[in-house]
Amino acid sequence: MKIIVIINNKGGVGKTTSAVNISASLAALNKKILLIDIDPSASASAHLGFYANEEAPEKPSTICDYLLDKDKDINKYFHKTDIKNLWCLPSEPSLDDFYQDMQQDDELPFFITRNQLSEKFDLVIVDCPPNMGSLSLNILAIADYALIPVMTQYIALTGLDLTLKLITKVRRRLNKNLKILGIFGTLYDRRTKSAKIVLANLQEKYEEQFMQTVISINNKLCEAYNAKKPIMLFNKRARGNLEYIELAKEIIKKI
Ligand SMILES: Nc1ncnc2c1ncn2[C@@H]1O[C@H](COP(=O)(O)OP(=O)(O)O)[C@@H](O)[C@H]1O
Ligand SMILES: [Mg+2]
């Protein structure tokens, strides 16, 4: 079992879209996958179909309920999804306050241990909030890999530098085994020259650390997100689906 944390401390770079669709693609490639949502905005949970009824959103049992659980039986909180081999540990908005309070109480070092995950899953994918707060730091402290999506636009590059610096810091202070699995381009607009230049710069600078698969801008990914489905259940033939499957294959090769 390996834990892969999808991280970039900028918002809107495609973390959640990638966490969900990479997880679905890996599951379709016959890996047993758990997606852990530690973003209090719970967008990966919603993307997978939890909280689906907007009028009366039904709350699934979440990480917060697990934290309150006296028995600490985490298995009860892994939810099946519509995709075979893919489970989800959902989040909810109160996770943020909840976790801050819990840390002050010094109750637990972290809410999940590797042992609890290792028997059931081949890979655990984590969707993070867009910051390096204590939730992100604590998951990185027990992770094997960081996987970094970067928007293929100039403005995104400073965010990437910052993220890499923070990962170096985590490696020094919290988890010397943390590796960077790769950096991959997202929201790539092949029609524009500027996106091509940014991509070429990224490939030159990060060499083999930069993943070969690049995720293009594809409106179907947006529509699938709104429909609360992974792209493979929404439009199998969409470019977004094919690219995420390619990326998943590349991830398996790299591990
Ligand atoms: N490759 C893509 N093509 C088109 N829209 C995308 C793509 N990736 C993400 N989006 C859209 O961009 C927005 C931000 O993506 P999201 O995955 O939520 O980013 P983050 O989790 O980093 O904040 C969402 O509306 C999402 O549907
Ligand atoms: Mg997100």
Side-chain angles (χ1 to χ4, degrees):
M1 188 275 306
K2 301 281 181 206
I3 302 176
I4 302 174
V5 179
I6 313 255
I7 192 134
N8 185 320
N9 57 338
K10 226 172 137 63
V13 301
K15 282 186 297 298
T16 299
T17 306
S18 298
V20 167
N21 291 304
I22 288 171
S23 297
S25 302
L26 288 166
L29 294 167
N30 261 328
K31 302 284 177 195
K32 288 208 163 34
I33 307 295
L34 174 69
L35 175 76
I36 302 182
D37 187 357
I38 61 161
D39 185 351
S41 76
S43 36
S45 312
H47 196 337
L48 276 177
F50 299 96
Y51 305 101
N53 181 349
E54 273 165 26
E55 315 271 281
E58 202 175 300
K59 191 184 97 60
S61 57
T62 67
I63 291 187
C64 293
D65 298 301
Y66 163 65
L67 293 170
L68 289 168
D69 186 342
K70 290 260 177 318
D71 300 334
K72 287 278 173 284
D73 178 9
I74 200 166
N75 292 295
K76 287 194 292 193
Y77 302 91
F78 299 148
H79 296 265
K80 265 195 166 150
T81 69
D82 291 339
I83 291 194
K84 192 182 156 215
N85 293 332
L86 175 58
W87 285 261
C88 177
L89 177 53
S91 177
E92 65 174 291
S94 51
L95 177 61
D96 215 7
D97 297 338
F98 201 92
Y99 193 59
Q100 302 297 340
D101 292 350
M102 202 178 83
Q103 282 210 312
Q104 275 158 21
D105 292 346
D106 251 358
E107 254 184 59
L108 284 171
F110 192 51
F111 46 78
I112 300 163
T113 63
R114 296 183 60 97
N115 287 347
Q116 290 170 302
L117 305 170
S118 60
E119 286 160 31
K120 284 193 93 152
F121 304 105
D122 298 316
L123 291 166
V124 175
I125 309 289
V126 185
D127 187 35
C128 283
N131 59 56
M132 279 280 190
S134 45
L135 278 161
S136 304
L137 288 176
N138 281 320
I139 195 78
L140 285 171
I142 64 160
D144 298 282
Y145 297 105
L147 179 61
I148 308 168
V150 60
M151 220 171 19
T152 42
Q153 292 174 12
Y154 281 112
I155 47 157
L157 301 183
T158 46
L160 176 60
D161 280 344
L162 214 59
T163 304
L164 289 169
K165 269 191 197 140
L166 289 163
I167 289 174
T168 307
K169 218 182 212 174
V170 169
R171 204 183 283 133
R172 233 180 11 235
R173 298 201 184 151
L174 298 170
N175 179 359
K176 63 177 186 337
N177 298 320
L178 179 68
K179 291 190 264 310
I180 293 176
L181 180 59
I183 303 166
F184 66 98
T186 60
L187 288 145
Y188 179 53
D189 187 351
R190 322 182 159 254
R191 293 164 312 179
T192 68
K193 203 171 164 196
S194 62
K196 282 191 186 135
I197 294 172
V198 170
L199 182 63
N201 287 345
L202 285 164
Q203 285 164 335
E204 192 187 302
K205 182 165 179 191
Y206 295 105
E207 299 176 335
E208 73 279 5
Q209 211 169 37
F210 201 81
M211 311 283 289
Q212 276 170 17
T213 312
V214 178
I215 307 297
S216 311
I217 288 197
N218 180 213
N219 205 40
K220 290 278 176 284
L221 286 167
C222 229
E223 290 172 20
Y225 198 145
N226 294 340
K228 299 174 188 270
K229 285 186 168 124
I231 182 83
M232 77 172 48
L233 295 184
F234 181 77
N235 188 328
K236 237 186 150 124
R237 283 187 301 182
R239 172 175 232 163
N241 186 41
L242 305 178
E243 288 175 347
Y244 273 113
I245 290 173
E246 273 318 296
L247 187 60
K249 288 183 185 162
E250 211 184 327
I251 288 169
I252 292 174
K253 259 196 224 150
K254 274 198 144 192
I255 286 175

